[in-house]
Amino acid sequence: MTQARLPIVVIGSGVAGMATALAAAPAPVRLLCRASEGSASAMAQGGIAAAVGEGDSPAAHAEDTLVAGAHHNDAAAVRWLCDVAPATVAWLAEQGVVFDRASGGHLQLGREGGHGMHRIVHAGGDATGAMLVQALQARVEQASHVQWRGDADVDALLLRGDRVAGVRIRDAQRRHEEIEAALVVVATGGIGALYAHTSNPPGADGSGLALALAAGAEPRDLEFVQFHPTALAVEGHSLPLLTEALRGAGAHLYDGEGRPLMADLHPLGDLAPRDVVARRVWAVRQQGGSTWLDATPIEGEWERRFPTVLAACLAHGLDPRRERLPISPVAHFHMGGVATDLDGHTSIPGLYAAGEVACNGVHGANRLASNSLLEAVACGRRLGAALAKVPVLQAGGTHRWIERGASLPAEGLPALRELLWRAAGPVREAGELRDAWQVCTAAADGAWQMRLAQALLRAMRLRSRSLGAHWREDHGCPA
Ligand SMILES: Cc1cc2nc3c(=O)[nH]c(=O)nc-3n(C[C@H](O)[C@H](O)[C@H](O)COP(=O)(O)OP(=O)(O)OC[C@H]3O[C@@H](n4cnc5c(N)ncnc54)[C@H](O)[C@@H]3O)c2cc1C
């Protein structure tokens, strides 16, 4: 084998992809992402969980993470993540993220569902994700080892022998280009856009997950999808999120008759874990009722604390400072994904994964709020640093392309999204899962979205008991 100077190819330029690329220095990196569809990273509102407050500890953060994850988590991975959280925040500050601070100079800490204390570090009020992306993008642009390319939809992986050794990209004009790689990292985010209602951007359609699965990568925990309970219930596919930090700051949930929505349902009330609140909102709406978030008790300057929420509401003719907001649950975060260890190894040599597309066990059956930016950055950095040390060998053997395959036609997507929303939403039942799986199986020779949906539904059918965010209404009655 001969030494080659092939780049590490990173697919996806959310925070996971950018953190990986930056940490891989001095190894050459090509950072690829699709055109102008944004990333979930840039939309993140609440912030980053880290035990930096007085009286807090990584052990307490870890305990809350395990409880939220229904102890389905990999406990050692959770301990590592919570241990490195303060250093991850410090690294982000070094990259230029200006976190919000109180007048005394210490970090302002928000509180979100499932956290036993105020532990959420934020920037620009509720614009944390945008601040992170802005700072990391500036670093990427300055980094001489990173070559960034937009307008690059990765739709095939190159295998040489049993190793992933490159990618094929397609631009907006449908022109293809092949890129050979020393190693390939999938950092393509989640699957929310496969659902009828989501907080995710349209590009969070699971295409990287579909590609990795097509190449034979092991999946893990595909059935666990988190639904956020409070998106603004307006027309559309990608709905504006009303961050949980609003409830941490004094907002409350009500039903259409003005009764507290979470009364007597959970000791943490409005700040109960997301799946509990999301199921309650779902149930009331399924019964034809309406659900509301009253954020009018929040004191302080909305423009400074919640500029993203304020702007989104005003754009829909609603003023959160003066009126209650109609809310709906939305598909929000995928706990499952391509199975990896903490170093991002998948089951295929040469293929790595980081961020929301990966499943290394830290989130278990349900992610604790604000642990995902943390995971994407911390694991991205860990992966990049490890890849920089991997000896780069030219892969041998016959080469073949693994294609993602044809996409559903635009008019076919809404039906699939409705199918998943109904059958694979916050509340699931054997018969509906079976019917939806049959629809996808019948069409699985066609579009890649149908094959991915089939894999998701298969995992949901196999887990016949409720766990974390996977709620089986039938509690396991045979289909
Ligand atoms: C509205 C909202 C609010 C959130 N708030 C928080 C929060 O407060 N705290 C928190 O911890 N988490 C939050 N999350 C979750 C968090 O933002 C995500 O889990 C995290 O940012 C995922 O990062 P990522 O880098 O893995 O993926 P993303 O940021 O989604 O980036 C994926 C990238 O991959 C690219 N891509 C996808 N497919 C392809 C392809 N085939 N070819 C090329 N490129 C491709 C996309 O264009 C994109 O650039 C929020 C999510 C949303 C949607």
Side-chain angles (χ1 to χ4, degrees):
M1 293 203 182
T2 51
Q3 206 80 23
R5 285 171 175 258
L6 292 172
I8 296 168
V9 165
V10 179
I11 314 169
S13 62
V15 290
M18 288 196 284
T20 306
L22 288 171
V29 174
R30 289 199 71 179
L31 181 59
L32 309 173
C33 85
R34 288 164 162 174
S36 68
E37 61 188 12
S39 63
S41 298
M43 298 166 81
Q45 295 183 354
I48 304 175
V52 292
E54 218 178 292
D56 202 358
S57 68
H61 183 185
E63 180 56 24
D64 288 345
T65 301
L66 291 167
V67 170
H71 290 274
H72 183 67
N73 325 55
D74 177 329
V78 170
R79 267 198 309 279
W80 174 80
L81 186 68
C82 296
D83 282 348
V84 299
T88 304
V89 169
W91 179 79
L92 285 166
E94 281 163 27
Q95 305 313 302
V97 180
V98 181
F99 288 106
D100 297 331
R101 290 180 183 273
S103 48
H106 55 273
L107 288 166
Q108 270 181 2
L109 298 176
R111 182 157 176 208
E112 294 185 307
H115 285 276
M117 9 212 332
H118 282 71
R119 176 183 291 143
I120 316 299
V121 177
H122 45 86
D126 62 1
T128 308
M131 296 299 184
L132 255 61
V133 166
Q134 203 181 318
L136 294 183
Q137 238 164 24
R139 290 290 168 162
V140 162
E141 278 161 23
Q142 290 158 7
S144 56
H145 71 289
V146 184
Q147 201 187 338
W148 182 86
R149 158 132 193 215
D151 190 15
D153 178 25
V154 175
D155 68 356
L157 291 176
L158 172 66
L159 264 86
R160 284 194 193 283
D162 65 350
R163 261 190 98 74
V164 171
V167 300
R168 189 181 70 192
I169 61 177
R170 195 179 60 159
D171 68 15
Q173 276 73 47
R174 300 182 159 272
R175 287 179 304 224
H176 274 120
E177 187 184 319
E178 295 168 6
I179 302 174
E180 291 210 50
L183 307 158
V184 173
V185 178
V186 185
T188 49
I191 60 162
L194 286 179
Y195 281 85
H197 305 290
T198 183
S199 62
N200 291 189
D205 60 2
S207 75
L209 174 58
L211 195 51
L213 297 186
E218 283 290 325
R220 179 170 173 185
D221 289 348
L222 293 186
E223 63 272 36
F224 296 112
V225 179
Q226 181 174 86
F227 293 83
H228 197 291
T230 58
L232 194 63
V234 288
E235 284 297 308
H237 173 230
S238 185
L239 304 183
L241 196 76
L242 304 173
T243 173
E244 211 156 88
L246 292 165
R247 278 174 277 144
H252 292 288
L253 298 164
Y254 295 95
D255 67 13
E257 275 71 52
R259 290 180 298 237
L261 199 67
M262 296 303 295
D264 305 327
L265 285 175
H266 194 281
L268 288 171
D270 288 339
L271 282 171
R274 278 186 186 165
D275 61 313
V276 178
V277 184
R279 277 197 297 278
R280 174 74 179 141
V281 176
W282 170 273
V284 171
R285 290 171 64 82
Q286 286 298 105
Q287 288 155 15
S290 59
T291 45
W292 302 85
L293 181 75
D294 183 2
T296 59
I298 294 179
E299 290 168 4
E301 310 152 56
W302 271 81
E303 288 80 358
R304 187 179 55 78
R305 295 179 75 188
F306 300 108
T308 311
V309 168
L310 180 63
C313 293
L314 292 177
H316 287 90
L318 294 161
D319 188 338
R321 297 164 297 190
R322 298 193 174 81
E323 59 193 316
R324 291 180 177 189
L325 306 169
I327 53 162
S328 162
V330 278
H332 186 56
F333 182 82
H334 197 196
M335 276 71 74
V338 184
T340 68
D341 60 12
L342 267 183
D343 286 324
H345 292 101
T346 71
S347 58
I348 304 186
L351 186 68
Y352 298 78
E356 191 169 337
V357 69
C359 178
N360 56 26
V362 292
H363 302 301
N366 200 6
R367 171 189 67 125
L368 182 66
S370 285
N371 265 356
S372 44
L373 286 176
L374 169 63
E375 184 220 351
V377 175
C379 293
R381 288 184 68 204
R382 179 170 167 153
L383 171 57
L387 294 186
K389 297 192 196 105
V390 173
V392 177
L393 301 173
Q394 180 80 57
T398 51
H399 86 272
R400 66 195 162 101
W401 286 97
I402 305 291
E403 313 236 344
R404 189 177 64 203
S407 296
L408 266 181
E411 63 276 14
L413 259 182
L416 174 63
R417 289 172 174 161
E418 276 302 330
L419 187 78
L420 289 179
W421 181 246
R422 211 179 49 244
V427 175
R428 299 163 182 177
E429 182 271 326
E432 292 223 47
L433 286 171
R434 179 201 53 214
D435 293 350
W437 178 81
Q438 282 172 348
V439 170
C440 296
T441 303
D445 285 346
W448 63 266
Q449 290 97 332
M450 294 308 255
R451 276 198 301 283
L452 179 55
Q454 183 195 25
L456 297 168
L457 287 160
R458 180 172 183 275
M460 291 167 195
R461 292 186 75 200
L462 283 174
R463 189 172 293 282
S464 55
R465 299 267 156 194
S466 297
L467 187 70
H470 172 70
W471 184 263
R472 288 289 299 253
E473 189 71 338
D474 49 330
H475 290 280
C477 302

Short mmCIF file of all heavy atoms in Angstrom, two decimals, residues 125-150:
data_model
loop_
_atom_site.label_atom_id
_atom_site.label_comp_id
_atom_site.label_asym_id
_atom_site.label_seq_id
_atom_site.Cartn_x
_atom_site.Cartn_y
_atom_site.Cartn_z
N GLY A 125 -29.45 35.27 23.54
CA GLY A 125 -30.77 34.89 24.06
C GLY A 125 -31.13 33.51 23.55
O GLY A 125 -30.47 32.52 23.88
N ASP A 126 -32.15 33.44 22.68
CA ASP A 126 -32.56 32.13 22.15
C ASP A 126 -32.00 31.89 20.75
O ASP A 126 -32.56 31.13 19.97
CB ASP A 126 -34.09 32.02 22.13
CG ASP A 126 -34.74 33.05 21.22
OD1 ASP A 126 -34.01 33.84 20.60
OD2 ASP A 126 -35.98 33.06 21.12
N ALA A 127 -30.87 32.53 20.44
CA ALA A 127 -30.25 32.36 19.11
C ALA A 127 -28.93 31.59 19.23
O ALA A 127 -27.99 31.80 18.46
CB ALA A 127 -30.02 33.71 18.46
N THR A 128 -28.87 30.66 20.19
CA THR A 128 -27.61 29.97 20.48
C THR A 128 -27.04 29.27 19.24
O THR A 128 -25.84 29.39 18.95
CB THR A 128 -27.82 28.93 21.60
OG1 THR A 128 -28.46 29.58 22.70
CG2 THR A 128 -26.52 28.32 22.05
N GLY A 129 -27.91 28.53 18.53
CA GLY A 129 -27.42 27.78 17.38
C GLY A 129 -26.83 28.69 16.32
O GLY A 129 -25.75 28.41 15.77
N ALA A 130 -27.52 29.79 16.04
CA ALA A 130 -27.03 30.73 15.02
C ALA A 130 -25.68 31.30 15.43
O ALA A 130 -24.77 31.46 14.60
CB ALA A 130 -28.05 31.85 14.83
N MET A 131 -25.51 31.57 16.72
CA MET A 131 -24.24 32.12 17.22
C MET A 131 -23.11 31.09 17.08
O MET A 131 -21.98 31.44 16.71
CB MET A 131 -24.37 32.53 18.70
CG MET A 131 -25.34 33.64 18.92
SD MET A 131 -24.81 35.12 18.04
CE MET A 131 -26.00 36.29 18.55
N LEU A 132 -23.43 29.85 17.38
CA LEU A 132 -22.41 28.78 17.25
C LEU A 132 -22.00 28.63 15.79
O LEU A 132 -20.80 28.56 15.46
CB LEU A 132 -23.00 27.45 17.72
CG LEU A 132 -22.55 26.93 19.08
CD1 LEU A 132 -22.94 27.89 20.18
CD2 LEU A 132 -23.16 25.56 19.35
N VAL A 133 -23.00 28.57 14.91
CA VAL A 133 -22.72 28.34 13.49
C VAL A 133 -21.89 29.51 12.94
O VAL A 133 -20.91 29.30 12.22
CB VAL A 133 -24.04 28.15 12.71
CG1 VAL A 133 -23.82 28.25 11.21
CG2 VAL A 133 -24.66 26.81 13.08
N GLN A 134 -22.27 30.71 13.31
CA GLN A 134 -21.53 31.90 12.84
C GLN A 134 -20.06 31.83 13.26
O GLN A 134 -19.16 32.03 12.44
CB GLN A 134 -22.18 33.12 13.48
CG GLN A 134 -21.98 34.42 12.76
CD GLN A 134 -22.68 35.54 13.54
OE1 GLN A 134 -23.80 35.36 14.03
NE2 GLN A 134 -22.03 36.66 13.67
N ALA A 135 -19.82 31.49 14.53
CA ALA A 135 -18.44 31.47 15.03
C ALA A 135 -17.65 30.33 14.37
O ALA A 135 -16.51 30.53 13.94
CB ALA A 135 -18.44 31.30 16.55
N LEU A 136 -18.24 29.14 14.30
CA LEU A 136 -17.50 28.00 13.73
C LEU A 136 -17.28 28.19 12.24
O LEU A 136 -16.22 27.83 11.71
CB LEU A 136 -18.24 26.68 14.02
CG LEU A 136 -18.32 26.27 15.49
CD1 LEU A 136 -19.00 24.91 15.65
CD2 LEU A 136 -16.94 26.23 16.16
N GLN A 137 -18.27 28.79 11.56
CA GLN A 137 -18.10 29.04 10.12
C GLN A 137 -16.92 29.98 9.88
O GLN A 137 -16.12 29.76 8.96
CB GLN A 137 -19.36 29.68 9.55
CG GLN A 137 -19.98 28.88 8.44
CD GLN A 137 -21.41 29.31 8.17
OE1 GLN A 137 -21.81 30.44 8.45
NE2 GLN A 137 -22.18 28.41 7.62
N ALA A 138 -16.80 31.00 10.72
CA ALA A 138 -15.68 31.93 10.57
C ALA A 138 -14.36 31.19 10.75
O ALA A 138 -13.39 31.42 10.01
CB ALA A 138 -15.79 33.06 11.59
N ARG A 139 -14.31 30.26 11.71
CA ARG A 139 -13.09 29.47 11.93
C ARG A 139 -12.79 28.57 10.74
O ARG A 139 -11.64 28.41 10.34
CB ARG A 139 -13.23 28.60 13.19
CG ARG A 139 -13.23 29.38 14.45
CD ARG A 139 -11.85 29.94 14.70
NE ARG A 139 -11.87 30.92 15.75
CZ ARG A 139 -10.80 31.33 16.42
NH1 ARG A 139 -9.62 30.84 16.11
NH2 ARG A 139 -10.90 32.24 17.33
N VAL A 140 -13.85 27.98 10.20
CA VAL A 140 -13.67 27.08 9.05
C VAL A 140 -13.11 27.88 7.86
O VAL A 140 -12.21 27.43 7.15
CB VAL A 140 -15.01 26.41 8.68
CG1 VAL A 140 -14.99 25.83 7.29
CG2 VAL A 140 -15.35 25.32 9.70
N GLU A 141 -13.66 29.09 7.67
CA GLU A 141 -13.18 29.90 6.55
C GLU A 141 -11.71 30.27 6.71
O GLU A 141 -10.96 30.38 5.74
CB GLU A 141 -14.03 31.17 6.42
CG GLU A 141 -15.33 30.89 5.66
CD GLU A 141 -16.40 31.94 5.90
OE1 GLU A 141 -16.05 33.08 6.28
OE2 GLU A 141 -17.59 31.61 5.73
N GLN A 142 -11.28 30.45 7.98
CA GLN A 142 -9.86 30.80 8.21
C GLN A 142 -8.94 29.58 8.15
O GLN A 142 -7.73 29.73 8.01
CB GLN A 142 -9.69 31.41 9.61
CG GLN A 142 -10.29 32.79 9.78
CD GLN A 142 -10.56 33.09 11.26
OE1 GLN A 142 -10.17 32.34 12.14
NE2 GLN A 142 -11.24 34.20 11.51
N ALA A 143 -9.51 28.39 8.31
CA ALA A 143 -8.67 27.19 8.47
C ALA A 143 -8.11 26.75 7.12
O ALA A 143 -8.87 26.40 6.22
CB ALA A 143 -9.49 26.07 9.10
N SER A 144 -6.77 26.73 7.01
CA SER A 144 -6.18 26.41 5.71
C SER A 144 -6.33 24.92 5.38
O SER A 144 -6.23 24.54 4.22
CB SER A 144 -4.71 26.82 5.69
OG SER A 144 -4.06 26.19 6.76
N HIS A 145 -6.58 24.07 6.38
CA HIS A 145 -6.69 22.64 6.08
C HIS A 145 -8.10 22.26 5.61
O HIS A 145 -8.31 21.14 5.18
CB HIS A 145 -6.29 21.79 7.30
CG HIS A 145 -7.29 21.84 8.42
ND1 HIS A 145 -7.48 22.95 9.22
CD2 HIS A 145 -8.16 20.90 8.88
CE1 HIS A 145 -8.41 22.69 10.11
NE2 HIS A 145 -8.85 21.47 9.92
N VAL A 146 -9.07 23.18 5.73
CA VAL A 146 -10.45 22.84 5.37
C VAL A 146 -10.84 23.51 4.06
O VAL A 146 -10.71 24.73 3.91
CB VAL A 146 -11.45 23.28 6.47
CG1 VAL A 146 -12.88 22.81 6.10
CG2 VAL A 146 -11.07 22.75 7.83
N GLN A 147 -11.35 22.69 3.15
CA GLN A 147 -11.90 23.24 1.91
C GLN A 147 -13.40 23.01 1.97
O GLN A 147 -13.87 21.87 2.00
CB GLN A 147 -11.30 22.46 0.74
CG GLN A 147 -11.37 23.20 -0.57
CD GLN A 147 -10.92 22.28 -1.70
OE1 GLN A 147 -10.22 21.30 -1.49
NE2 GLN A 147 -11.37 22.59 -2.90
N TRP A 148 -14.16 24.11 2.03
CA TRP A 148 -15.62 24.01 2.20
C TRP A 148 -16.29 24.08 0.86
O TRP A 148 -15.87 24.84 -0.02
CB TRP A 148 -16.07 25.18 3.09
CG TRP A 148 -17.55 25.16 3.37
CD1 TRP A 148 -18.16 24.47 4.37
CD2 TRP A 148 -18.55 25.87 2.67
NE1 TRP A 148 -19.51 24.69 4.31
CE2 TRP A 148 -19.79 25.55 3.28
CE3 TRP A 148 -18.55 26.74 1.57
CZ2 TRP A 148 -20.99 26.07 2.83
CZ3 TRP A 148 -19.77 27.25 1.13
CH2 TRP A 148 -20.96 26.92 1.76
N ARG A 149 -17.31 23.29 0.68
CA ARG A 149 -18.05 23.36 -0.57
C ARG A 149 -19.55 23.22 -0.32
O ARG A 149 -20.00 22.24 0.29
CB ARG A 149 -17.56 22.24 -1.50
CG ARG A 149 -18.54 21.86 -2.56
CD ARG A 149 -17.94 21.78 -3.93
NE ARG A 149 -19.01 21.74 -4.91
CZ ARG A 149 -18.95 21.06 -6.03
NH1 ARG A 149 -17.86 20.40 -6.33
NH2 ARG A 149 -19.97 21.07 -6.85
N GLY A 150 -20.33 24.20 -0.74
CA GLY A 150 -21.79 24.11 -0.67
C GLY A 150 -22.31 23.52 -1.98
O GLY A 150 -21.52 23.08 -2.83
#
